[in-house]
Amino acid sequence: MTFFDAALWDGKVFTGDWTTSSGGSTEIVEKATGTVLGRTGVADAGDVALAAAAAAEAQRAWAATSFEERAAVLRRAGALIEANAAELRDWVVRETGAVPGLGDFAVGVATQECYEAAGLAHRPAGEILQSNQPRLSLLKRVPVGVVGVISPFNVPLILSIRSVAPALALGNAVVLKPDLRTPVSGGLAIARVFAEAGLPPGLLHVLPGGAEVGSALVTEPAIRVVSFTGSSATGRRVAELAARHLKRVHLELGGNSALVVLDDADLERAVSAGAWGSFLHQGQICMTAGRHLVHERIADDYVAALAEHADHLPVGDPFTGQVALGPLVDEGQRDKVHALVTATVDAGARLAAGGKHEGLFYRPTVLDEVRTDMPAYAEEVFGPVAPVVRFGSVDEAVSLAADSSYGLSLSILTGDAMRGLALAERIPSGIVHINDQTVNDEAVAPFGGVLDSGTGARFGGAGNLDAFTEQRWITLRGDIPAYPF
């Protein structure tokens, strides 16, 4: 049996042990070929209630363990991911359609998330506060209790473990709902790692499921904090539901990130960065460069070179071939991408490359002569599509880049880095990269967007402390004071 053998979760969910779920089971499908890789249990709302109750019970003892014990579990989890990296990468590739390089990246980030979380357990538990009374005044951080995590299909390993690992390290229990299309790399593999790492039973529950399970997780009274990653539309519904239950929620949502190419940028490198930013993982990344804003003096050359890049990128099965792009996640996503491309061309854009698909394999696409009101520019495509809009001045570039309901990642490519930094100050965005493309991620860095892209940066050390602990005010006096009555 391999470390991540599908027999472990055949028709089951993880609730401290591999347990048959109440909602039946479904196939785990390789996106490129349709091959059935295994089966997973499908949770229902009743499973959420049972898991949350068990998690709340187990969490009290976990919170009382020493920080050394919790840190040791996280370190062992990181080491197990490293030791089984190739096998886990293959699950990521086959289950999500990622190319192997992206699979390796996801596994590497997951490893670092565990190690960073281990360090988080060592952080000071609070601070001494000033007081105008003769007493010791303290702020102490305590675990929130049970954390609910809802993760999406696109890069599920990273987007699950970046919440699971710090929440556990800080003394919480977790109920995790991965997307049904990616239950292994989104959750079941993580459960396998933590079980082997010595995490006590009952602290991590993995419940693959649909919208019913997500709603139950948000409304479950025992779950006090929800970490959601997904679309902005679904994020709004999660936030509304959580608000009715006075529940804290952290939202990492969609994006339509601008890649701004100034006229002094190195054209060849700018084109390469633009291609990577739009076509990596078939554009199925929240930080994907969804809008290419290019100075009019170099725009014709940029479009021609970007289209040439797109035409020469191989598309196919990433598990068996040397390809740059794999499949989209399913037919629904493919049809959405193609509808946006077709509507944009029908509205007057020029198709410079791509715009075609075979099965789930969508060719990298370049759209020129795009207006800001066209669908593939105005909306998040979540596919390998690069719409290009020209600008004539820096002020116009600022106006175009800022004219979006999203604010996740921003790229500015220029021969003058300080000029780029000054430009970025004028554009709302949670993440900014000067002379790099929009898709970047590190376990040590804060991550999050503004506006419709989410509720701000959370990840990274201090962000995770704020997300997964409560602040408790404690005072101590030597004697009870005398009061007037």
Side-chain angles (χ1 to χ4, degrees), residues 78-93:
L80 283 165
I81 293 173
E82 281 189 304
N84 297 279
E87 188 184 347
L88 184 52
R89 178 211 50 219
D90 288 350
W91 271 107
V92 171
V93 169

Side-chain angles (χ1 to χ4, degrees), residues 37 40 52 108 133 190 254 278 298 311 326 380 396 417-418 437 445-446 467:
L37 304 174
T40 178
Q133 300 289 321
I190 295 171
S278 282
I298 62 171
D311 286 338
E380 182 183 29
E396 187 180 0
M418 295 307 296
Q437 45 77 41

Side-chain angles (χ1 to χ4, degrees), residues 39-293:
R39 298 189 68 84
T40 178
V42 179
D44 64 12
D47 291 316
V48 174
L50 292 173
E57 177 68 25
Q59 186 270 333
R60 288 188 284 273
W62 179 241
T65 61
S66 70
F67 67 88
E68 292 102 333
E69 292 177 72
R70 286 184 271 117
V73 170
L74 271 297
R75 286 195 297 272
R76 288 195 294 269
L80 283 165
I81 293 173
E82 281 189 304
N84 297 279
E87 188 184 347
L88 184 52
R89 178 211 50 219
D90 288 350
W91 271 107
V92 171
V93 169
R94 302 185 76 180
E95 192 180 39
T96 74
V99 296
L102 182 59
D104 286 332
F105 176 78
V107 172
V109 171
T111 301
Q112 290 307 312
E113 289 287 355
C114 290
Y115 290 147
E116 287 297 320
L120 194 64
H122 292 256
R123 288 285 190 103
E127 57 186 278
I128 298 175
L129 305 176
Q130 299 282 1
S131 179
N132 59 10
Q133 300 289 321
R135 61 190 178 189
L136 181 62
S137 181
L138 306 172
L139 180 155
K140 183 180 180 182
R141 290 188 178 273
V142 297
V144 298
V146 182
V147 174
V149 179
I150 303 174
S151 65
F153 69 83
N154 56 329
V155 195
L157 178 60
I158 294 176
L159 299 178
S160 292
I161 207 163
R162 69 160 36 146
S163 292
V164 171
L168 290 173
L170 291 167
N172 300 286
V174 174
V175 179
L176 166 62
K177 189 202 86 65
D179 192 291
L180 266 177
R181 290 167 289 187
T182 53
V184 177
S185 55
L188 298 173
I190 295 171
R192 171 75 176 112
V193 165
F194 276 101
E196 188 69 17
L199 184 72
L203 290 169
L204 174 60
H205 303 257
V206 179
L207 306 180
E212 175 200 8
V213 177
S215 296
L217 188 148
V218 175
T219 59
E220 167 58 46
I223 296 174
R224 297 310 310 152
V225 168
V226 175
S227 176
F228 171 85
T229 304
S231 72
S232 297
T234 304
R236 280 195 180 88
R237 293 196 291 272
V238 168
E240 290 167 359
L241 194 58
R244 289 202 293 272
H245 293 265
L246 296 178
K247 192 168 296 189
R248 201 189 328 163
V249 62
H250 304 288
L251 304 174
E252 199 278 281
L253 307 177
N256 191 6
S257 298
L259 182 139
V260 181
V261 185
L262 300 181
D263 57 349
D264 60 352
D266 181 309
L267 183 62
E268 182 179 352
R269 293 193 176 189
V271 169
S272 176
W276 184 267
S278 282
F279 304 145
L280 177 64
H281 197 33
Q282 302 77 259
Q284 296 176 128
I285 301 174
C286 56
M287 297 169 284
T288 290
R291 299 178 293 146
H292 293 235
L293 310 179

Side-chain angles (χ1 to χ4, degrees), residues 297-361:
R297 279 203 290 268
I298 62 171
D300 287 344
D301 291 339
Y302 181 89
V303 170
L306 187 62
E308 185 178 2
H309 269 63
D311 286 338
H312 286 88
L313 289 174
V315 179
D317 183 349
F319 189 62
T320 60
Q322 296 292 319
V323 301
L325 286 80
L328 293 172
V329 68
D330 58 23
E331 292 181 354
Q333 186 61 26
R334 178 204 62 199
D335 293 345
K336 177 200 168 191
V337 171
H338 194 57
L340 289 170
V341 170
T342 301
T344 301
V345 172
D346 289 345
R350 180 176 71 87
L351 184 63
K356 298 178 290 187
H357 63 84
E358 183 175 342
L360 298 181
F361 300 101

